[in-house]
Amino acid sequence: MSKKDYYEILGVSKDATQDDIKKAYRKLIKKWHPDLHKDNKKDAEVKFKEISEAYEVLSDTEKRAMYDRYGFVGDQVPPSYRAAQGAAGGSPFDDFFGGSGGFGGFEDIFDMFFGGSRSGRGQRVSQGNRGQKGQDIAVNIRINLSDTITGVEKEIEYERYHKCEACNGTGAKDGTSFKTCPDCGGRGAVVQESHTFFGNIQTTTTCPRCGGKGRIIEQRCPKCNGAGRYKEKKKIKIKVPAGATNGLKLRVAGAGHGGTGQGNDGDLYVIVSILTPPDLVRKGKHIYSEVTVDYLQAILGAEIDINTVEGPIKYKLKGGVQPGEQIRIKGKGVPDLRTGLRGDQYVKLNVELPKKLSRKEKKLLTEVAENSGVKVS
Ligand SMILES: [Zn+2]
Ligand SMILES: [Zn+2]
């Protein structure tokens, strides 16, 4: 993931209005259109793409808020969370704790992270005895849409590898039980000779026995059995902010896997998914829904029930509304993640007309029609 400064790309300040952003975008997109740069089309294309990407994020208030806060947006997620989301079972919004039976699902993630760091690309060689930072962990939590109004505190239980205190993460008994690696004599590297068509070639490679450390464990730490870390269950409380959006990532520094040796602990990323009632649609801070009323209510007005984020409310519908008309209920949206200001709810009115009329209804309506001079059969 490359971290780009979208504001810089568009040449606008951090507090630029949507209008400023649009203007800057239009100007730049004209300037950098690849068709205008026949000589260096490639550069222009890169620039063009960059500008479009910056605009896509900054022109969307929700994405912009996320970018301002976390420095990345949506699926521009570091590979480590993506891996975790995949391991948690397909959808990134799958409930981490449900379905697969409690803690069972954790194994995959642990193995993926732990295995990943072990089978790294020779990073340990340069890390030497100083150790490595622990891997990050991603967990998914679900909250209700109504929780986004004030924010909510959630308790999360998960498993992580904890750096072993008994050996200070070294895996050696008391953290001191080492001996010089007999294979490399402490150099951490071995010379290998291979016979080829061109003659004998000598290559220096990392010592496979000690992994480049130059020393090996003499007696394993009994607490962690030489791993330097052990699994533990951890509970933490996390505050999900008001206005939280689907896919929002909250970072808890140092709550990930323990590092090895002197390495720091990794971080925990809590990925929020939001359960939205099926009849409500959230777009940014606004809520959209539909309600069906009887034609007589539409004509004469009525008190109707409308479902909102906080549950059903009574709404005084005035007479004379038209089918498809949208009514706005102020302040019944959800808060904006950045400003905290609540949006509105927009309700589309569907008007139901009767398919059959009773004899009496027919008589009365015919009278109404005659009275208004409307021709009916
Ligand atoms: Zn230990
Ligand atoms: Zn060695």
Side-chain angles (χ1 to χ4, degrees):
M1 182 189 70
S2 60
K3 226 176 173 177
K4 289 175 187 158
D5 187 336
Y6 291 143
Y7 291 100
E8 204 180 293
I9 291 168
L10 293 184
V12 294
S13 65
K14 287 241 148 71
D15 51 8
T17 63
Q18 285 300 319
D19 233 34
D20 297 339
I21 289 166
K22 200 181 272 174
K23 269 186 205 148
Y25 166 72
R26 285 201 180 133
K27 219 170 100 190
L28 286 169
I29 218 82
K30 257 185 216 157
K31 187 176 161 195
W32 286 103
H33 198 285
D35 288 350
L36 299 173
H37 296 267
K38 294 251 154 61
D39 323 329
N40 54 345
K41 206 164 176 176
K42 270 254 150 62
D43 291 347
E45 271 169 10
V46 170
K47 196 89 187 153
F48 193 82
K49 235 181 110 187
E50 219 172 49
I51 294 161
S52 310
E53 187 186 317
Y55 180 67
E56 198 196 309
V57 170
L58 297 187
S59 63
D60 181 315
T61 47
E62 209 173 311
K63 285 183 182 168
R64 183 178 175 183
M66 193 183 258
Y67 175 74
D68 286 346
R69 205 161 168 152
Y70 303 100
F72 58 81
V73 170
D75 57 6
Q76 299 176 299
V77 180
S80 58
Y81 326 137
R82 240 188 248 150
Q85 290 182 356
S91 159
F93 305 123
D94 270 355
D95 189 349
F96 198 77
F97 300 97
S100 57
F103 272 111
F106 282 110
E107 288 297 331
D108 294 344
I109 289 187
F110 275 104
D111 290 348
M112 176 171 291
F113 281 153
F114 199 40
S117 74
R118 266 181 178 165
S119 62
R121 295 128 295 170
Q123 282 172 335
R124 290 193 129 194
V125 180
S126 56
Q127 300 276 342
N129 295 327
R130 282 173 295 136
Q132 269 190 312
K133 188 185 181 228
Q135 293 287 331
D136 296 335
I137 299 174
V139 295
N140 294 318
I141 56 163
R142 280 183 181 173
I143 64 167
N144 292 317
L145 186 60
S146 56
D147 292 333
T148 66
I149 290 168
T150 52
V152 65
E153 191 175 67
K154 283 275 176 183
E155 191 174 64
I156 298 166
E157 194 178 357
Y158 64 104
E159 274 192 339
R160 67 163 189 168
Y161 278 107
H162 186 271
K163 189 194 285 186
C164 178
E165 317 83 6
C167 61
N168 197 26
T170 60
K173 194 179 176 197
D174 304 324
T176 53
S177 183
F178 294 103
K179 64 179 177 190
T180 303
C181 173
D183 286 14
C184 62
R187 287 188 306 276
V190 287
V191 177
Q192 279 176 337
E193 201 166 302
S194 42
H195 307 284
T196 73
F197 180 73
F198 303 104
N200 289 354
I201 293 178
Q202 283 192 340
T203 45
T204 305
T205 56
T206 304
C207 171
R209 175 103 180 244
C210 63
K213 286 177 181 167
R215 60 178 192 179
I216 56 171
I217 292 169
E218 187 157 38
Q219 268 186 290
R220 284 188 195 173
C221 166
K223 182 155 189 183
C224 63
N225 199 27
R229 308 195 280 185
Y230 58 85
K231 266 187 196 178
E232 67 165 8
K233 275 186 188 174
K234 193 170 164 67
K235 268 187 196 173
I236 60 158
K237 279 184 181 159
I238 188 156
K239 172 97 176 120
V240 181
T245 48
N246 217 6
L248 181 69
K249 292 169 192 72
L250 306 167
R251 176 169 169 259
V252 187
H257 290 308
T260 59
Q262 304 296 308
N264 290 329
D265 291 351
D267 302 327
L268 175 74
Y269 287 88
V270 179
I271 301 162
V272 179
S273 64
I274 293 165
L275 290 168
T276 303
D279 56 340
L280 301 179
V281 174
R282 175 189 186 179
K283 283 183 189 160
K285 61 180 175 176
H286 299 307
I287 296 292
Y288 294 82
S289 66
E290 294 188 14
V291 70
T292 301
V293 297
D294 189 88
Y295 78 111
L296 293 170
Q297 292 179 312
I299 296 166
L300 302 170
E303 191 178 68
I304 57 170
D305 287 326
I306 289 179
N307 196 25
T308 71
V309 177
E310 292 146 300
I313 58 161
K314 297 276 180 210
Y315 181 83
K316 269 213 167 81
L317 186 70
K318 53 183 186 354
V321 290
Q322 302 298 309
E325 199 174 309
Q326 205 169 42
I327 53 176
R328 175 177 171 219
I329 311 175
K330 259 191 115 173
K332 283 292 175 191
V334 291
D336 182 276
L337 183 56
R338 206 158 50 129
T339 62
L341 296 173
R342 274 182 83 170
D344 304 324
Q345 181 168 347
Y346 293 91
V347 185
K348 190 184 151 199
L349 283 172
N350 297 320
V351 177
E352 201 163 53
L353 295 170
K355 286 186 179 138
K356 266 188 190 158
L357 292 174
S358 67
R359 197 168 285 173
K360 189 171 180 194
E361 281 170 328
K362 202 164 186 180
K363 187 169 166 273
L364 288 170
L365 284 172
T366 310
E367 257 176 55
V368 173
E370 275 166 7
N371 192 43
S372 333
V374 177
K375 276 188 190 165
V376 290
S377 64

